[in-house]
């Protein structure tokens, strides 16, 4: 299911206006990006979830800009015509609008990403606008924003109280006005995400925000069964690669010990 031409922000808007659902997958390397693109997944997020799923950190705070850039480059090389969105890690955009624009620009210039994403709070209007004004496509992430989970009272569903829900709708409109081409919602009640999706004209993306968003997103390590510690309620494991990989490694080890490997065909004459 090859994607015929490079997907960009305008294509996502067209999908929304036609009522055509599309998908996003958080990926971190060249082979996974290539397979995801070949499977027809329109948008690839190089998420800072990399910190946990690939680098073994307990949360997303510790991953650096340089580490993210390294993975953005790899994903861009494999992405084909899928759109690559680079996730700005903690402290790569919160310190000043100048840092935000410089780092977002590096993701495009050096990483060959097509767009960037930032986690937004009440005061992010200026940052979104500055990145937009620099000509960089910017996605706003609202709801549960793990980089500031300390202030949100932990990794929990957002927008449950009426006040928080109203605020989320206002925020989404504000970030659209600031220039965001899309609003990503993480861990938001479906009804609230539905309202947000109706209130903004840009496409909405759900990571745990229910069926009414224009796009559904999942983390590849969850889909593949590669991240073992926990599976979020909103996620779905489509296969258990951990089991298959462990079995393959075990067979290889046993073959070495029992001298079944290397065989004749593995040896140079
Ligand atoms: O890092 C990531 O994969 C993300 C999604 C969970 C939205 O930010």
């Amino acid at each position: 299911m090859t994607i015929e031409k490079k997907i960009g922000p305008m294509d996502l808007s067209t999908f929304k206006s036609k009522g055509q659902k599309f998908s996003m997958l958080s990926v971190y390397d060249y082979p996974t990006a290539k397979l995801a693109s070949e499977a027809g997944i329109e948008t690839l997020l190089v998420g800072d979830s990399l910190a946990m799923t690939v680098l073994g950190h307990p949360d997303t705070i510790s991953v650096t800009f340089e580490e993210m850039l390294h993975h953005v480059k790899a994903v861009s090389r494999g992405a084909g015509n899928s759109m690559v969105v680079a996730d700005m890690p903690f402290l790569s955009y919160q310190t000043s609008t100048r840092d935000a624009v410089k780092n977002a620009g590096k993701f495009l210039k050096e990483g060959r990403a097509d767009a960037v994403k930032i986690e937004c709070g009440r005061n992010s209007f200026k940052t979104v606008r500055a990145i937009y004004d620099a000509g960089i496509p910017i996605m706003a992430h609202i709801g549960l924003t793990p980089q500031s989970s300390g202030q949100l009272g932990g990794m929990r569903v957002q927008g449950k109280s009426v006040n928080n829900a109203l605020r989320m709708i206002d925020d989404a409109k504000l970030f659209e006005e600031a220039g965001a081409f899309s609003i990503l919602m993480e861990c938001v009640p479906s009804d609230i995400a539905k309202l947000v999706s109706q209130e903004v004209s840009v496409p909405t993306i759900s990571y745990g925000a229910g069926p009414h968003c224009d796009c559904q997103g999942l983390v590849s390590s969850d889909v593949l069964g590669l991240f073992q510690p926990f599976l979020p309620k909103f996620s779905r494991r489509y296969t258990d690669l951990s089991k298959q990989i462990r079995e393959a490694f075990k067979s290889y080890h046993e073959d070495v010990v029992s001298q079944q490997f290397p065989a004749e065909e593995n040896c140079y004459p």
Side-chain angles (χ1 to χ4, degrees), residues 24 26-28 45-50 60 87 117 119 141 146 184-186 207 218-219 234:
M24 173 174 259
S26 298
V27 297
Y28 318 105
L45 172 66
V46 191
D48 64 355
S49 48
L50 162 80
T60 59
D87 203 4
K117 166 172 97 54
E119 293 187 7
H141 176 161
L184 184 149
M185 288 177 271
E186 180 171 353
Y207 273 72
L218 285 179
V219 168
F234 70 79

Side-chain angles (χ1 to χ4, degrees), residues 68-82:
M68 288 296 298
L69 181 59
H70 178 77
H71 287 266
V72 169
K73 287 179 182 174
V75 167
S76 296
R77 287 191 285 262
N81 285 335
S82 299

Side-chain angles (χ1 to χ4, degrees), residues 247-265:
E247 275 165 12
F249 289 165
K250 193 162 168 264
S251 300
Y252 160 61
H253 173 254
E254 283 168 4
D255 282 354
V256 171
V257 171
S258 63
Q259 299 184 39
Q260 303 295 304
F261 181 86
E264 186 82 39
E265 73 261 22

Side-chain angles (χ1 to χ4, degrees), residues 4 6 14 48 51 61 68 90 145 164 187 191 245 253 263:
E4 296 285 315
K6 187 74 183 172
T14 307
D48 64 355
I61 295 298
M68 288 296 298
F90 185 53
T145 46
N164 282 348
C187 292
D191 289 349
I245 291 173
H253 173 254

